[in-house]
Amino acid sequence: MDLNKKVIEEVSGWLKLFNDGSVDRTWTGPPEVEFLMKPVPTHEEYIDGIATRDVTIDPNTGLAVRIYIPDREKEIQDKDKLPVILHFHGGGFCISRANWYMYYQFYSRLAHSAGAICISPYLRLAPEHRLPAACDDAYSAYLWLNSVARGEQSEPWIESYADFGRIFLVGDSTGANIMHQVAARAGGAGSESIKLAGGVALHGGFNRAEPSKSLLELPESPMLTRDMVNKLNALGLPVGSTRDHPITCPMGPAAPPLAGLKLPPMMVVVAEEDLLRDTQLEYCKAMKEAGKEVKVVFEHGMGHCYYLNKLAIDLDPKTAAQVDYLIDLLKTLHLPERCISSITRKLPTERSNYKENANRKR
């Protein structure tokens, strides 16, 4: 035991940072929810209609992705190729992994229900690897997918079954911030091999230096507390940066003007009881004012990333029903707009009073 080793920062339940720079991410919160943070082994045989594998996409850095593929009843022809979800996990840039059960239980279900391939990179974590490391990893996963489409790299599942004309970027919490960065970089670079058909921000980790009304006043939830927001942002951002940094606040003055970005159509899902609700709506407002195509879905009575909390899903019928609606919504992303509208009628979009909250200068 090193008697000189001391904790210099702690995010309760999640993370301890020591004075030698090492980090302990052993879960120390309620034991009944520890299963959510447990890694799920890969299985190339189909379980509940899904098979998974991990693939190292960059042997030099060790960057790997987890791939989910749904069961097929027949050989897939070109016209039957599957859309691809490129998923970026959240965790405040500091915690969580692509193979955690909380993601497996939701994204395996989404991949099966939507008939889609899901690819989720193992993003580097701060504070060992501060931003923009996670964004660089996410963009590397996009470039790898592009290289597979061009035949420069090989991954049999992707080559055989992926429709490279239907790529959707999806991010949970701070993964939505990463999604925005990848979409902007991909749009600027362009590609003839793959097409970004859309982006989805699920309860995005959008934030700014001046706290919003929702961050100050809304009740905390099992998936997000004020302590987590403040400390994880501080540990994740480049040293000396504030939450007005372009990655945490892409709608702020320090970020590249949204009007100049080439972005795919976006869907932004906002939970009414999310501490970050108001800044998510600010992002939506700024995107619309910049002329971007944005669909806002407002989830009444729900908290931050509730759909990842399998314990709540199993115990609370309201949460389970809302997850059903969210799955129905997401699995229509590659369908015509009329099909999406039939689903979104079940999930009311932003209400005027929340627009006013987003517009109000605080």
Side-chain angles (χ1 to χ4, degrees):
M1 180 178 180
D2 185 355
L3 297 178
N4 294 319
K5 189 172 181 176
K6 297 179 180 179
V7 175
I8 59 174
E9 188 60 276
E10 181 173 3
V11 182
S12 181
W14 295 98
L15 175 153
K16 292 179 181 178
L17 173 64
F18 295 92
N19 57 346
D20 64 357
S22 62
V23 179
D24 183 1
R25 294 184 175 85
T26 303
W27 174 251
T28 58
E32 62 270 20
V33 298
E34 185 178 11
F35 74 99
L36 294 171
M37 282 65 75
K38 292 290 188 182
V40 178
T42 57
H43 51 88
E44 297 204 7
E45 73 282 6
Y46 289 97
I47 299 175
D48 295 328
I50 285 290
T52 62
R53 67 168 50 154
D54 284 349
V55 176
T56 299
I57 63 173
D58 188 338
N60 295 319
T61 64
L63 179 61
V65 298
R66 170 148 295 194
I67 303 175
Y68 302 78
I69 192 163
D71 197 2
R72 289 95 51 214
E73 296 180 355
K74 58 184 176 64
E75 280 301 309
I76 293 181
Q77 306 300 320
D78 282 346
K79 65 182 179 59
D80 301 316
K81 293 286 181 84
L82 305 178
V84 177
I85 296 168
L86 184 54
H87 165 251
F88 310 118
H89 65 74
F93 313 112
C94 298
I95 53 177
S96 82
R97 304 301 287 152
N99 61 0
W100 277 11
Y101 180 74
M102 67 168 66
Y103 298 111
Y104 176 85
Q105 61 86 24
F106 182 78
Y107 284 95
S108 62
R109 180 180 171 189
L110 176 60
H112 182 257
S113 298
I117 298 168
C118 181
I119 303 170
S120 186
Y122 288 83
L123 304 174
R124 281 176 292 172
L125 301 177
E128 304 98 316
H129 306 283
R130 289 177 178 261
L131 293 172
C135 297
D136 292 341
D137 288 347
Y139 188 61
S140 292
Y142 167 81
L143 293 178
W144 170 78
L145 190 59
N146 206 339
S147 68
V148 173
R150 293 197 301 265
E152 297 171 356
Q153 295 197 55
S154 178
E155 165 38 50
W157 277 5
I158 306 301
E159 294 170 72
S160 300
Y161 306 120
D163 180 350
F164 295 107
R166 292 186 292 167
I167 309 296
F168 298 89
L169 307 179
V170 178
D172 313 282
S173 189
T174 50
N177 302 59
I178 294 169
M179 179 277 295
H180 175 93
Q181 298 298 318
V182 172
R185 291 172 69 173
S191 173
E192 297 181 357
S193 304
I194 63 177
K195 177 184 177 183
L196 281 186
V200 181
L202 294 171
H203 306 171
F206 307 121
N207 206 349
R208 52 181 169 74
E210 185 181 353
S212 68
K213 191 173 189 295
S214 63
L215 180 58
L216 292 172
E217 297 182 2
L218 285 180
E220 298 178 334
S221 72
M223 302 300 287
L224 191 66
T225 65
R226 274 173 275 277
D227 185 64
M228 291 172 65
V229 172
N230 294 328
K231 290 182 177 179
L232 293 176
N233 277 182
L235 292 171
L237 286 166
V239 174
S241 298
T242 73
R243 290 194 295 267
D244 288 330
H245 188 278
I247 295 176
T248 42
C249 191
M251 63 286 191
L258 294 172
L261 302 180
K262 184 179 179 181
L263 298 171
M266 294 284 192
M267 177 182 291
V268 182
V269 181
V270 180
E272 181 178 20
E273 299 301 320
D274 192 339
L275 295 178
L276 301 176
R277 179 196 68 201
D278 290 351
T279 37
Q280 292 162 11
L281 290 173
E282 287 179 27
Y283 172 78
C284 298
K285 177 176 179 289
M287 288 278 283
K288 289 181 178 180
E289 289 179 347
K292 304 307 177 185
E293 184 179 342
V294 181
K295 178 182 287 291
V296 183
V297 177
F298 196 91
E299 299 182 296
H300 299 286
M302 306 311 295
H304 188 78
C305 290
Y306 68 89
Y307 55 90
L308 299 179
N309 187 348
K310 189 62 165 63
L311 188 63
I313 295 169
D314 290 343
L315 295 178
D316 178 29
K318 178 183 176 183
T319 300
Q322 195 73 15
V323 173
D324 290 343
Y325 284 140
L326 184 59
I327 292 284
D328 281 347
L329 175 68
L330 294 176
K331 75 183 186 183
T332 63
L333 286 173
H334 58 284
L335 297 177
E337 177 64 25
R338 65 180 182 277
C339 300
I340 298 176
S341 298
S342 69
I343 297 295
T344 54
R345 279 195 290 269
K346 301 177 183 179
L347 284 166
T349 53
E350 58 186 323
R351 298 181 300 188
S352 59
N353 57 321
Y354 292 109
K355 287 183 181 178
E356 291 167 6
N357 283 343
N359 296 344
R360 188 182 302 124
K361 179 177 176 60
R362 298 176 183 83

